[in-house]
């Protein structure tokens, strides 16, 4: 138990520059308290003590503001930064070294009692306010930007942003190989929708320029044997 506790604390220390000491993390980090209580609730759940499991889960929600269903499967070194408002559903599966920020929802989109919540691979980061919905898979090392809404599978080592979430360009994917605070690429935030609209506007501008050139240019000469009308158009043949 103490080895597990030390591993969880070391994981937090490695990913939060605000953490000053292990004692501070142990006493003052609600994300750590929530995951420790969840492991207790999950142990009760797997043994069939569902009422006790839900009671522990509700106590954790009251104390930390983080709601993790006792049926959710959570890997090692899981870190919830800040934590308030996080909701994790019953059939969610979370790998090792995953990090969530406040306001994240791992929710279901089905009323079926089977698999209906997301699966997060190892090393995933989900930014503040993001919603990952449905029985989808977020691959290892993926990054979900703040306030994104993810409703489809995310390939491994890919950053997604926007509503609905779309992958950033391959040039920006190099950021996913390192830690990204809030799961968002630094610098110029890529916006796939804005880039598509910009490309469309550029194409419209080029077409308009071409039309203006054709309108201001000379009319093409009529083929041999055709008469040209006063307005420059070719007269129809009889």
């Amino acid at each position: 138990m103490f080895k597990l506790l030390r591993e969880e604390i070391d994981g937090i220390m490695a990913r939060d520059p605000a953490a000053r000491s292990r004692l501070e993390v142990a006493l003052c980090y609600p994300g750590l308290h929530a995951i420790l209580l969840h492991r207790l609730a999950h142990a009760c759940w797997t043994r069939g003590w569902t009422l006790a499991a839900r009671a522990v889960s509700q106590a954790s929600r009251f104390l930390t503001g983080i709601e993790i269903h006792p049926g959710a499967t959570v890997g090692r070194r899981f870190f919830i930064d800040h934590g308030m408002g996080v909701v994790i559903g019953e059939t969610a599966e979370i790998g090792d070294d995953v990090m969530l920020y406040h306001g994240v929802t791992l929710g279901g989109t089905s009323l079926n009692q089977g698999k209906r919540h997301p699966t997060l691979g190892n090393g995933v980061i989900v930014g503040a306010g993001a919603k990952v919905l449905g029985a989808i898979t977020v691959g290892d090392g993926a990054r979900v930007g703040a306030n994104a809404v993810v409703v489809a599978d995310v390939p491994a080592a890919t950053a997604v942003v926007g509503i609905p979430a779309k992958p950033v360009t391959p040039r920006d994917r190099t950021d996913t190989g390192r830690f990204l605070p809030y799961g968002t690429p630094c610098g110029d935030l890529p916006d796939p929708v804005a880039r598509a609209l910009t490309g469309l506007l550029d194409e419209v501008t080029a077409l308009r320029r071409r039309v203006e050139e054709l309108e201001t240019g000379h009319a093409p000469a009529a083929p041999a044997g055709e008469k040209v009308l006063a307005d420059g158009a070719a007269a129809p043949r009889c």
Side-chain angles (χ1 to χ4, degrees), residues 219 222 226-236:
E226 288 187 353
K227 295 182 179 180
V228 179
L229 302 179
D231 61 356

Side-chain angles (χ1 to χ4, degrees), residues 30-236:
L32 175 63
H33 305 156
I35 189 58
L36 294 178
L37 288 171
H38 169 72
R39 298 202 188 283
L40 174 60
H42 186 68
C44 295
W45 184 268
T46 56
R47 287 168 173 77
W49 307 336
T50 55
L51 181 58
R54 291 305 299 266
V56 173
S57 175
Q58 285 299 106
S60 174
R61 179 177 182 271
F62 176 78
L63 293 172
T64 66
I66 299 169
E67 182 175 343
I68 308 176
H69 193 283
T73 302
V74 178
R76 300 165 65 180
R77 297 175 298 276
F78 178 48
F79 179 30
I80 303 176
D81 199 4
H82 304 296
M84 185 64 68
V86 169
V87 177
I88 300 175
E90 177 186 3
T91 62
E93 300 176 52
I94 300 173
D96 298 335
D97 301 302
V98 172
M99 182 172 182
L100 308 184
Y101 285 88
H102 48 283
V104 168
T105 299
L106 305 184
T109 57
S110 171
L111 297 179
N112 297 327
Q113 292 187 347
K115 175 69 173 173
R116 60 189 186 277
H117 295 92
T119 297
L120 274 55
N122 299 327
V124 171
I125 298 176
V126 183
K131 316 302 177 188
V132 186
L133 307 175
I136 61 176
T137 299
V138 179
D140 294 347
R143 306 291 186 255
V144 178
N147 291 318
V149 178
V150 184
V151 293
D153 291 346
V154 178
T158 301
V160 294
V161 297
I163 303 174
K166 301 291 184 183
V168 300
T169 63
R171 176 179 60 82
D172 299 311
R173 276 186 211 170
T174 55
D175 285 342
T176 61
R178 60 186 178 82
F179 178 77
L180 294 180
Y182 293 92
T184 303
C186 300
D188 184 19
L189 180 65
D191 187 340
V193 176
R195 287 178 177 176
L197 290 176
T198 300
L200 181 61
L201 290 175
D202 291 342
E203 185 175 351
V204 170
T205 301
L207 291 173
R208 182 178 298 169
R209 187 181 301 114
R210 179 61 177 159
V211 170
E212 291 176 353
E213 292 174 355
L214 294 174
E215 288 178 345
T216 58
H218 295 290
E226 288 187 353
K227 295 182 179 180
V228 179
L229 302 179
D231 61 356

